[in-house]
Amino acid sequence: MTAQPKVSDRLFFDLSARLKLRVTGGDRLRFLNGQITNDIRKATEANAVEACVLNAKGKMDAHLFVHANAESFLLDADPALQSSLQARLERYIIADDVEIKDFTAQLSIFHVISANAPAITSPAQIVAANRFGGDGYDLWCEATQRDQIASELRSGFRFCDDECSEILRIEQGIARWGRELTNEIIPVEANLEQRCIDYEKGCYIGQETISRMKMSGQRNKQLCGLVSLNNAALTPGMRLVATDGKDVGWITSASQKNEREIALGFVKRGFNSVGSRIDAVSAENARLPVEVVDLPFRQ
């Protein structure tokens, strides 16, 4: 069984399967600033920014990280977006000097959780990025250097595989594409406001919805932490109901922490304050009591 990971551990992750797009051209900065929720000017060769790509209604088309690289920007996103993200961006290239190419096969990405950049001898671009709710760095390299860099990282970090990273990101309350993040979710509902949205930048697609939600201070649902009160197993897809049986949300991801059954899920307004008690409905229609808790989950 995978050892319980913590953000205080020195961990490294192989993110090479992620989609990687290179955006070039003289209009790349202006173009990307009109497509993403964060300010692309904050993306440098040393620092990545986290952002979302939205449709006109403010719902998510993609979640990504982006940083500068020479005369280009490099974007990385969940592998499931390989068939859609490039086409979604290219749809808005009208008379812009912008070209987007898929470099997924040519480049590899590692991520380390560390307060300091890792010291390696192999050639790589090292970029500060917060992917798991703590200080970290991405290492971008040619795919041919992947094995060498992995070997170097193993001397100072513990490798965190897919199971390990899933445990960590759930405990940290980090939303993932295909689970918490879908085409039906608005970024602020998934707690992405502070990390992914810049309210002072110029216009971008979907901005009207995001600005309206900021003005009203209201959202119909919110991503929450959930703890099983009788320690019954929680599973993705379970419906969440109020005491009167009214549907109030659903579970998106589940794990265990310190022998407790925990989960992430979207809970409707009026039922999602910390301390609220609702029920998760099992496949057998049993009602399992859960409590809404703060994220990240406490030790």
Side-chain angles (χ1 to χ4, degrees), residues 43-57:
T44 68
E45 294 195 1
N47 291 280
V49 298
E50 188 177 356
C52 301
V53 177
L54 310 179
N55 65 20
K57 295 183 178 180

Side-chain angles (χ1 to χ4, degrees), residues 69-297:
N69 175 260
E71 297 300 311
S72 69
F73 287 106
L74 286 172
L75 283 59
D76 70 273
D78 191 275
L81 291 166
Q82 186 149 19
S83 63
S84 61
L85 180 54
Q86 184 173 355
R88 157 63 180 80
L89 293 172
E90 289 178 338
R91 190 186 318 150
Y92 291 91
I93 300 176
I94 310 300
D96 306 282
D97 176 18
V98 171
E99 185 176 23
I100 303 173
K101 289 187 176 181
D102 188 334
F103 274 73
T104 301
Q106 294 94 322
L107 298 173
S108 290
I109 310 172
F110 291 94
H111 180 75
V112 300
I113 293 180
S114 175
N116 302 302
I120 60 169
T121 60
S122 301
Q125 182 182 6
I126 300 178
V127 185
N130 182 337
R131 292 182 184 260
F132 291 96
D135 292 334
Y137 290 87
D138 291 342
L139 288 77
W140 285 69
C141 65
E142 297 292 331
T144 55
Q145 295 292 316
R146 180 179 173 185
D147 290 346
Q148 177 60 35
I149 289 181
S151 178
E152 289 195 55
L153 289 174
R154 287 182 191 277
S155 66
F157 297 84
R158 176 165 68 91
F159 178 59
C160 190
D161 61 13
D162 290 346
E163 180 185 356
C164 167
S165 63
E166 186 71 352
I167 292 170
L168 182 63
R169 71 106 191 155
I170 292 172
E171 291 185 358
Q172 290 297 109
I174 304 297
R176 171 186 170 187
W177 189 262
R179 288 294 184 89
E180 293 71 36
L181 307 180
T182 72
N183 300 118
E184 294 302 315
I185 298 300
I186 298 171
V188 294
E189 297 174 335
N191 305 328
L192 295 178
E193 186 172 24
Q194 290 187 342
R195 305 201 312 268
C196 293
I197 297 173
D198 188 309
Y199 288 104
E200 304 301 322
K201 58 165 285 184
C203 297
Y204 57 89
I205 296 168
Q207 181 188 28
E208 183 177 349
T209 298
I210 302 301
S211 296
R212 187 166 60 245
M213 291 180 75
K214 179 177 174 59
M215 291 283 290
S216 69
Q218 294 187 352
R219 57 245 13 218
N220 292 329
K221 57 187 176 293
Q222 195 72 41
L223 181 63
C224 299
L226 302 166
V227 174
S228 175
L229 292 177
N230 62 5
N231 220 29
L234 304 175
T235 58
M238 278 184 169
R239 292 185 302 115
L240 298 171
V241 298
T243 53
D244 61 1
K246 176 182 178 181
D247 278 307
V248 296
W250 67 97
I251 289 176
T252 55
S253 300
S255 184
Q256 292 181 327
K257 182 176 179 62
N258 297 334
E259 300 182 350
R260 296 182 303 162
E261 296 286 338
I262 64 172
L264 299 177
F266 284 99
V267 186
K268 290 183 180 179
R269 186 173 67 224
F271 301 89
N272 57 23
S273 58
V274 172
S276 296
R277 296 193 174 189
I278 52 180
D279 291 330
V281 182
S282 74
E284 295 77 27
N285 287 321
R287 292 177 59 157
L288 313 175
V290 298
E291 182 178 350
V292 177
V293 298
D294 267 331
L295 291 173
F297 291 95

